[in-house]
Amino acid sequence: MLDRVKFFRRRQFVLGPEFIDYEGWHRVNLFDNFMLTLHPDLPLTIVEHLDNKAILLGYAIDPHQPELTDERILQRFVANAITIDAVTDGLKTLTGRFVLIIRCPEATWLFHDACALRQVNYCFDSKGTLWCASQAETLAERFGFSFDDDVLSYRNMPAYQDSTEEFWLINDRTPYLEIKYLLANHYLDLTQGQVVRFWPHANCIEELSMKDAIRQCSPVIQNGIKIAAQRFDLKMGITAGSDSRRSLAAAKDVVDNIYFFTHTPRSGDIDINIPSRLLPQLGIAHHKLDIETMSDEFRELYKCSATWARERRGHVAHTALVNFGTEATVLNSNLSEIHQCWYWLPESKINGEGLALATRLNHPFAINEFQKWIDGARSACESAKINILTLFDYELRSRWAAAAFYEYDIAHETFNPYNNRLLSCLELSVNERYRNGQRLDLIIDQIKY
């Protein structure tokens, strides 16, 4: 029998002018019109200094200062005069999965981690008051919102007819017209109810040789994993892919503190065969986990965890719960390649239609939302001299990873060592010809076991 308090929308939160009546959830009156209702397994850290206040939902790691706890990291934000630039500078070095709320006499802002893996959805009630929540469905239930017909049409397009396992939403859209998603690289002004892009910006990317970039990237990834292995009961998935093998190399100093596993693959043997041969050669135990089908009770709670929660990820989450218990953290390497250039379009075709064709999502909803995103991102990319197609993968495709992490939250916390804005800047500093999606130079050479 599953504990329904523990597994109902586990590790989620709601922020608004009233508390939500969820059994067993904590209630914290943050300030003014902002009441926080949060699941007991979502860490909460609050630090105040004079009139400044910082609230962290989730966890943060500074790879350059391993000794810093969440509380000490927050102290850096409130110790001095608070400005947007000071906050974004402080965020730059942080790895983790978190929502950060900063309050000072002049304003109140909400940020999240570099790739928005602790996602935030928001809407306004009939009085124009702002609400935020981990998932859109929580807000939709509160206010009686229905699915948006345009989103439903997109979800039912031919590309998703055989399977919605790889379904992902575009730009700031959610299944509900009234609810928006806070994209990576944006903050939410809680006082004004406005979303503001803060990255990329002019001079945020310098030019580095591959050698210099590798020298600076390596400690960000390695130290992040070391800290996570010390702080958490860390498990790490390992397959034949270059992303997990890169993480394996970065974890070489703490492999004794990590449990390495591979799920039963959907097809073929390569994802089992390669790690089962590789890890013993390195003196590391390899564990093969057969996928456990969800029980009816687990499925019911899983489906509540995320709108349109995907079937296979439910089986994966159930497998993790059966094998790891309830308090594990899983190292996920999905974002290790987001700074490569996977898409190419001539300048004249970098528009909604071009992106829809490049992603094989040629649907009116996709075309319209891609164009909106381009219109909002183009000037920032031009100022920062970043290929907008690379930012597209960073900012929009990362929603696919964030959705998976929320689906897994019912079973375990997730840590991703590549979710770090400094790392993004360093990788983007390398000439684009070395970051072409068909080349593995930067991935393979960055860290060697």
Side-chain angles (χ1 to χ4, degrees):
M1 180 72 69
L2 293 174
D3 182 340
R4 298 186 71 83
V5 171
K6 187 173 188 64
F7 294 106
F8 174 73
R9 295 184 178 164
R10 194 177 183 199
R11 299 186 173 93
Q12 297 191 20
F13 75 92
V14 185
L15 179 67
E18 304 169 16
F19 293 118
I20 299 291
D21 188 19
Y22 284 167
E23 182 184 358
W25 285 37
H26 297 160
R27 297 180 172 195
V28 182
N29 188 342
L30 293 181
F31 37 71
D32 295 347
N33 214 25
F34 292 97
M35 313 294 181
L36 177 66
T37 311
L38 73 159
H39 188 279
D41 286 342
L42 177 61
L44 170 66
T45 307
I46 301 176
V47 169
E48 297 183 66
H49 179 71
L50 300 178
D51 293 328
N52 300 332
K53 192 170 189 176
I55 299 103
L56 187 76
L57 303 174
Y59 68 92
I61 286 171
D62 187 333
H64 295 295
Q65 293 186 275
E67 73 282 1
L68 293 186
T69 61
D70 290 333
E71 182 175 357
R72 291 182 62 190
I73 286 173
L74 288 190
Q75 288 170 352
R76 298 189 308 190
F77 287 100
V78 300
N80 302 304
I82 294 178
T83 64
I84 283 292
D85 288 344
V87 176
T88 56
D89 285 348
L91 284 169
K92 183 177 179 180
T93 61
L94 297 182
T95 305
R97 189 167 172 242
F98 58 82
V99 171
L100 174 67
I101 301 172
I102 298 291
R103 179 171 175 80
C104 62
E106 291 75 28
T108 305
W109 305 303
L110 183 151
F111 299 82
H112 41 31
D113 53 77
C115 291
L117 300 185
R118 186 75 69 188
Q119 56 186 15
V120 175
N121 297 272
Y122 64 95
C123 70
F124 297 90
D125 62 19
S126 59
K127 299 178 181 178
T129 305
L130 180 67
W131 287 75
C132 302
S134 297
Q135 68 157 315
E137 191 166 346
T138 302
L139 299 173
E141 291 172 354
R142 176 76 176 181
F143 301 112
F145 298 145
S146 300
F147 287 140
D148 179 22
D149 288 339
D150 289 340
V151 177
L152 288 176
S153 175
Y154 165 69
R155 187 171 187 259
N156 293 325
M157 67 184 288
Y160 294 129
Q161 279 183 356
D162 292 337
S163 172
T164 56
E165 286 297 297
E166 300 307 319
F167 173 79
W168 56 289
L169 275 164
I170 298 170
N171 197 19
D172 63 353
R173 296 299 296 272
T174 74
Y176 310 92
L177 181 62
E178 300 88 348
I179 304 171
K180 301 299 182 185
Y181 178 94
L182 185 62
L183 283 173
N185 306 320
H186 296 70
Y187 69 85
L188 181 57
D189 186 321
L190 295 179
T191 305
Q192 301 297 323
Q194 296 177 344
V195 173
V196 181
R197 174 184 287 281
F198 67 90
W199 193 91
H201 54 80
N203 303 316
C204 67
I205 308 296
E206 59 179 315
E207 293 185 14
L208 292 175
S209 67
M210 181 180 288
K211 182 179 179 180
D212 287 340
I214 290 171
R215 179 177 53 81
Q216 295 182 53
C217 284
S218 296
V220 176
I221 304 169
Q222 290 175 301
N223 292 343
I225 293 176
K226 284 181 182 178
I227 298 167
Q230 294 165 359
R231 190 184 292 192
F232 307 125
D233 176 16
L234 197 62
K235 321 293 184 182
M236 177 177 159
I238 181 78
T239 67
S242 60
D243 51 357
S244 63
R245 286 186 285 121
R246 182 186 185 188
S247 296
L248 171 64
K252 61 185 177 181
D253 293 335
V254 288
V255 292
D256 291 341
N257 297 333
I258 302 175
Y259 176 100
F260 292 88
F261 69 94
T262 306
H263 291 126
T264 305
R266 275 182 275 191
S267 61
D269 298 322
I270 187 171
D271 278 336
I272 288 288
N273 289 342
I274 287 184
S276 65
R277 295 200 312 267
L278 174 62
L279 293 184
Q281 291 178 14
L282 300 173
I284 302 170
H286 175 242
H287 303 88
K288 175 184 173 183
L289 305 185
D290 293 328
I291 294 294
E292 299 268 355
T293 301
M294 286 184 282
S295 66
D296 291 342
E297 184 183 23
F298 184 91
R299 184 190 300 274
E300 177 191 353
L301 289 163
Y302 172 70
K303 292 295 184 181
C304 290
S305 296
T307 310
W308 297 331
R310 292 165 286 191
E311 187 77 2
R312 177 172 170 82
R313 285 177 173 77
H315 299 317
V316 171
H318 188 251
T319 302
L321 187 64
V322 169
N323 286 275
F324 303 154
T326 62
E327 307 307 320
T329 297
V330 173
L331 191 159
N332 183 294
S333 304
N334 276 343
L335 299 175
S336 70
E337 302 170 11
I338 61 170
H339 305 111
Q340 292 178 263
C341 303
W342 292 101
Y343 300 101
W344 182 87
L345 289 169
E347 184 64 32
S348 62
K349 297 297 183 182
I350 299 180
N351 52 36
E353 290 184 355
L355 281 179
L357 290 171
T359 56
R360 301 180 182 178
L361 297 174
N362 194 17
H363 185 277
F365 173 83
I367 292 171
N368 187 48
E369 292 303 321
F370 284 147
Q371 187 62 56
K372 287 181 181 178
W373 178 82
I374 289 170
D375 292 342
R378 193 184 296 275
S379 62
C381 290
E382 290 174 351
S383 295
K385 299 179 181 179
I386 292 177
N387 183 339
I388 195 170
L389 298 177
T390 300
L391 187 68
F392 167 76
D393 211 35
Y394 183 126
E395 207 158 275
L396 267 64
R397 286 292 289 170
S398 63
R399 288 198 63 179
W400 173 85
F405 292 0
Y406 263 84
E407 290 163 332
Y408 295 149
D409 266 344
I410 189 173
H412 60 76
E413 180 59 91
T414 304
F415 167 71
N416 190 296
Y418 308 98
N419 186 27
N420 181 291
R421 184 164 284 105
L422 173 60
L423 182 65
S424 300
C425 292
L426 292 171
E427 294 202 350
L428 289 170
S429 71
V430 176
N431 190 289
E432 194 171 297
R433 69 176 180 271
Y434 298 116
R435 293 185 285 109
N436 183 288
Q438 306 308 311
R439 297 186 60 170
L440 298 177
D441 306 57
L442 192 57
I443 299 175
I444 300 301
D445 290 342
Q446 194 166 111
I447 303 171
K448 292 184 172 62
Y449 196 91

